[in-house]
Amino acid sequence: MLRVLRPMAEYGVALLLLIAAWWYASGPMEMPRYLLPSPQATMATLWSMLLSGELLPHLWFTLRNILLGLAIGAGTGIVGAYALYKLPRLATLLDGPLVVFQTAPKIALAPLFVVWFGLGLTAKLVLIFSLVFFPVLVGALAGFRGIDSRMHDIAKLLKLNPFQRFWRIDMMAALPGIFVGLKIGAVQALVGAVLAEWISGSDGLGYLMTYAGATYKTPLLFGAVLLTSTLGIVLHAALTILESRLLAWKVQDGR
């Protein structure tokens, strides 16, 4: 339980410190309202949008795209990592292309995805996938390669079939590495979703940011940024809780 509550408390303290600094800059420091709206004005804007029913559809649109893109990217990354783990020659062959794919600037590729796949959901998911796939692949591959060879000997003694060996031995042993990739991928998925909404679309938190910036509605702009950051914290916390549940068997070294 302590392993779950501690990161949640850290996230909460960090968020409170950020809001306190924000309040001080917009209050006692008397920064211009058009540059930095107060937390009260930002919250009032979000609350009015929530009551009018405008906010939740945008929030759900972004969250849905994040979850879909993260699921596709994570699933493909884990399967790809297992294939590279089982086929070392394939890993050597694909090492260069994968690095080139990862180093390609996604901001530059995003407009191309819109041209290739249109303005709908597909282009957004492809962009999110491109940001999630590689971190999960690297984390999962490191986890698979770190499996103790003695575990495979135990699997043979227990006469486990290939599926049982994959699920009970390989996946369980690789979970720490997989969760490292998932946590990085979740942040990348959030960035990709917002970026996709900047470039195309009329829904989502990214769209609210571009609309607020174009119309000089800084309270709405800061509100959309705050919601995006909060969404990232919630995703990271959810993965931390899931990790603590699935890795409850793992002995901690106390560090």
Side-chain angles (χ1 to χ4, degrees):
M1 180 62 70
L2 182 61
R3 293 173 58 195
V4 176
L5 293 179
R6 182 176 177 179
M8 296 289 288
E10 292 174 351
Y11 299 148
V13 170
L15 188 59
L16 287 176
L17 289 175
L18 177 62
I19 293 176
W22 180 10
W23 170 83
Y24 182 79
S26 63
M29 286 185 63
E30 298 182 347
M31 289 192 67
R33 291 291 184 263
Y34 64 88
L35 292 179
L36 184 66
S38 66
Q40 300 92 317
T42 300
M43 294 301 177
T45 299
L46 292 178
W47 181 249
S48 65
M49 290 187 66
L50 179 64
L51 292 180
S52 66
E54 297 178 65
L55 183 60
L56 287 182
H58 290 289
L59 183 60
W60 167 244
F61 184 84
T62 300
L63 179 60
R64 182 201 64 179
N65 292 347
I66 292 172
L67 294 178
L68 284 175
L70 183 60
I72 297 171
T76 308
I78 293 171
V79 172
Y82 193 70
L84 296 179
Y85 165 65
K86 286 295 186 180
L87 303 170
R89 291 185 179 180
L90 180 64
T92 302
L93 181 65
L94 294 181
D95 183 64
L98 285 174
V99 172
V100 171
F101 171 76
Q102 175 59 18
T103 55
K106 303 304 185 296
I107 295 179
L109 292 178
L112 288 178
F113 292 154
V114 173
V115 173
W116 293 340
F117 302 105
L119 298 174
L121 179 63
T122 303
K124 296 177 175 62
L125 291 182
V126 170
L127 177 59
I128 298 171
F129 167 84
S130 69
L131 291 168
V132 172
F133 172 76
F134 195 78
V136 176
L137 176 76
V138 171
L141 186 57
F144 288 130
R145 287 175 174 172
I147 298 174
D148 192 333
S149 60
R150 291 173 295 182
M151 299 297 292
H152 294 154
D153 296 333
I154 293 174
K156 291 179 181 178
L157 289 175
L158 295 175
K159 297 181 180 180
L160 300 180
N161 60 45
F163 176 78
Q164 291 173 325
R165 179 176 174 176
F166 168 75
W167 187 250
R168 296 184 180 181
I169 303 294
D170 296 339
M171 275 295 292
M172 291 297 104
L175 274 180
I178 290 173
F179 270 103
V180 171
L182 280 175
K183 289 179 180 179
I184 298 173
V187 176
Q188 296 282 63
L190 179 61
V191 172
V194 172
L195 176 60
E197 292 161 4
W198 282 354
I199 295 173
S200 66
S202 57
D203 298 287
L205 297 178
Y207 165 75
L208 285 182
M209 291 179 196
T210 56
Y211 169 75
T215 55
Y216 299 98
K217 295 181 178 180
T218 50
L220 177 57
L221 176 59
F222 273 79
V225 171
L226 181 62
L227 282 177
T228 302
S229 299
T230 304
L231 197 56
I233 292 173
V234 170
L235 286 172
H236 196 277
L239 286 173
T240 300
I241 293 172
L242 182 61
E243 180 184 20
S244 67
R245 295 288 180 86
L246 294 179
L247 295 179
W249 52 269
K250 191 173 185 294
V251 178
Q252 299 297 310
D253 59 7
R255 290 180 295 175

